[in-house]
Amino acid sequence: MKQTVKTDKFKTGKKRSWWTQDDTELTLLGLPAAIWYAVFCYLPMFGLIIAFKNYRITAGKGFLYNLFHSKWVGFDNFKFFLESNTFNMLLRNTILYNVVFIVLGIVIPVTLAILISQLYNSKLSKTYQTMMFFPHFISWVVVSYFVFAFLNPDKGLMNIIVNFFGGEKILWYSEPKYWPYILILMQVWKTVGYSMVVYLASITGIDPSLYEAALLDGASKWQQAKYITLPLLKPIMVMMFILSVGRIFYSDFGLFYQLTQGIPNSLSNVASTFDTFVYMALQSNVSIGKTAAAGLFQSVCCCVTILVANFIVSKIDEDSAII
C-alpha cells in the first residue's frame, strides 16, 4: 500500500524545470565576464603558435597569412632562450625576488592587520588603513620620479643627507649592491596596504565572542592573536600564498624597469627579470617567436608551480587547498 502511494506521488508530482528564471538572470549577469575572458584571455592564446615558428612578415599580407606561412621551427625558439647567457641570471633574479616578496607579503600585512584590529579608535584605524592602501593606486612611473628625487646623484635627498654626515656622494644608479634592498623596500611599500586590507577584512569577520571568552580566561593580546586570530586567518593566508606562488616566474615590470630608470647596464645583473628581458628583446632585433617562447615558458612554469603548491597544501590540510 505504501509503495503504491509513493508511486502515485511521483506520477502526479510536478516535475522541476531544467532551466528556471534564476538560471536566466544569473547567466545574463555572468555573460559580460564570460565574453570578456573569451575575447581577451582565451582567444589570444591562439597566438601561442608563434612560439614554435620563425615568424616573418610579408608585405601586404595579414597576421594569419604571415602566421601560417612562417617556417615551423619546433622548440628552437625555446632552446635559444634556455641556452642564452642571461637565462641563469634571469631565473635567479625572478625566483629569489619573488620568494622574498611572498614571505614579506604575508608576514608584514598579517602583522599590521592584527595590530590595526586592536586599535580602539576607529577614526585612527581608518586613517592608518587609508595611508597604507594609498600607494597601491600610484603608478610605478610616478613612484620612479619620487625615487629619482631621493637618489639623484647631484641633488638627491639621500646624497644631501650623506654629505651632511661627512660621507661621499653615492652614484646610486651605478651601484648594484644597494638595489636589491631598494627594490624589496619599494615593493613592500606599494603592496602591503592592499594585502593588509584583505587580512583585516577577514579579522573583522571573526566572531567577537571568541575574544570575549579568551579575555575571561585571562588570555593576553598575544595569546588571542596566536590561538584565535592566526588559526582563523590560515585559510586566507594559504590562498594568498598559493596565488602568489602561481606568479613566481613573473615579475612586476614597472618595479624593475621604471624604478631603475630603464635598467642601465650597471644594474642589469640585479634588476633584470624574465619580463624585462622580453620587453628589451622586443625592442631589439630578436624575433618575436623567441620572445613568445619566453612568455610561454613563464606561463607553463607558473601553471606547474601553482598546481604543485596546491597539491602540497592539499596533502597537509585538504580544507585549505584551492582546487
Side-chain angles (χ1 to χ4, degrees):
M1 183 67 180
K2 292 181 179 179
Q3 183 66 30
T4 305
V5 172
K6 287 183 179 180
T7 305
D8 294 337
K9 182 178 179 181
F10 281 111
K11 286 183 178 180
T12 59
K14 186 178 181 181
K15 293 183 179 180
R16 184 181 181 276
S17 175
W18 69 276
W19 188 269
T20 64
Q21 184 178 355
D22 291 341
D23 295 326
T24 303
E25 294 174 354
L26 292 173
T27 301
L28 291 175
L29 287 173
L31 192 60
I35 294 174
W36 188 91
Y37 273 100
V39 173
F40 295 103
C41 294
Y42 292 103
L43 188 60
M45 291 181 69
F46 173 75
L48 292 177
I49 195 175
I50 296 177
F52 303 93
K53 290 204 166 194
N54 184 17
Y55 186 75
R56 287 290 182 267
I57 298 176
T58 304
K61 301 296 182 179
F63 169 75
L64 292 178
Y65 178 89
N66 295 325
L67 180 63
F68 288 116
H69 287 79
S70 296
K71 181 182 177 181
W72 183 271
V73 295
F75 291 94
D76 288 350
N77 291 331
F78 293 89
K79 289 175 61 177
F80 170 82
F81 172 63
L82 296 174
E83 295 176 357
S84 64
N85 297 329
T86 59
F87 176 78
N88 291 332
M89 179 266 292
L90 297 173
L91 180 66
R92 178 201 66 198
N93 290 347
T94 305
I95 296 297
L96 291 182
Y97 276 122
N98 277 315
V99 168
V100 176
F101 294 160
I102 291 172
V103 173
L104 296 181
I106 294 177
V107 175
I108 297 178
V110 169
T111 303
L112 291 175
I114 294 175
L115 292 176
I116 290 180
S117 67
Q118 299 297 322
L119 293 176
Y120 293 103
N121 191 325
S122 60
K123 292 184 178 180
L124 190 61
S125 174
K126 292 184 181 299
T127 300
Y128 287 147
Q129 293 179 49
T130 303
M131 292 174 61
M132 294 179 185
F133 194 57
F134 180 72
H136 174 75
F137 299 99
I138 304 177
S139 167
W140 279 118
V141 177
V142 177
V143 174
S144 66
Y145 284 103
F146 284 105
V147 173
F148 185 76
F150 277 86
L151 304 183
N152 188 306
D154 298 323
K155 299 180 180 179
L157 180 61
M158 293 301 298
N159 275 336
I160 293 175
I161 295 175
V162 170
N163 291 333
F164 178 79
F165 287 101
E168 296 183 359
K169 181 175 66 175
I170 300 175
L171 301 177
W172 297 97
Y173 291 93
S174 300
E175 295 288 347
K177 62 182 179 181
Y178 299 111
W179 279 93
Y181 305 102
I182 296 173
L183 293 170
I184 292 172
L185 175 64
M186 297 309 300
Q187 171 70 9
V188 171
W189 170 79
K190 196 172 188 301
T191 60
V192 70
Y194 178 84
S195 301
M196 183 204 65
V197 170
V198 173
Y199 293 119
L200 192 59
S202 300
I203 292 175
T204 56
I206 298 176
D207 188 356
S209 61
L210 297 175
Y211 294 103
E212 294 173 1
L215 190 61
L216 291 175
D217 290 336
S220 63
K221 292 294 184 182
W222 163 247
Q223 291 172 325
Q224 293 177 33
K226 182 178 179 181
Y227 296 107
I228 298 176
T229 307
L230 289 177
L232 293 177
L233 281 181
K234 186 179 73 171
I236 187 66
M237 291 169 62
V238 172
M239 184 188 72
M240 297 289 282
F241 168 77
I242 294 175
L243 293 177
S244 299
V245 169
R247 294 191 57 83
I248 198 168
F249 282 87
Y250 283 96
S251 61
D252 193 329
F253 176 80
L255 170 66
F256 291 95
Y257 188 82
Q258 298 292 347
L259 209 67
T260 58
Q261 301 294 317
I263 310 183
N265 292 331
S266 58
L267 303 181
S268 60
N269 287 333
V270 297
S272 295
T273 61
F274 286 136
D275 295 88
T276 61
F277 168 82
V278 171
Y279 175 79
M280 291 182 176
L282 288 171
Q283 304 299 312
S284 63
N285 295 326
V286 177
S287 68
I288 191 173
K290 294 180 174 62
T291 58
L296 182 57
F297 170 81
Q298 288 179 274
S299 300
V300 172
C301 290
C302 286
C303 180
V304 172
T305 53
I306 194 171
L307 291 176
V308 170
N310 185 80
F311 175 77
I312 295 173
V313 169
S314 66
K315 293 300 181 181
I316 300 174
D317 185 1
E318 187 176 357
D319 295 334
S320 298
I322 295 179
I323 305 173

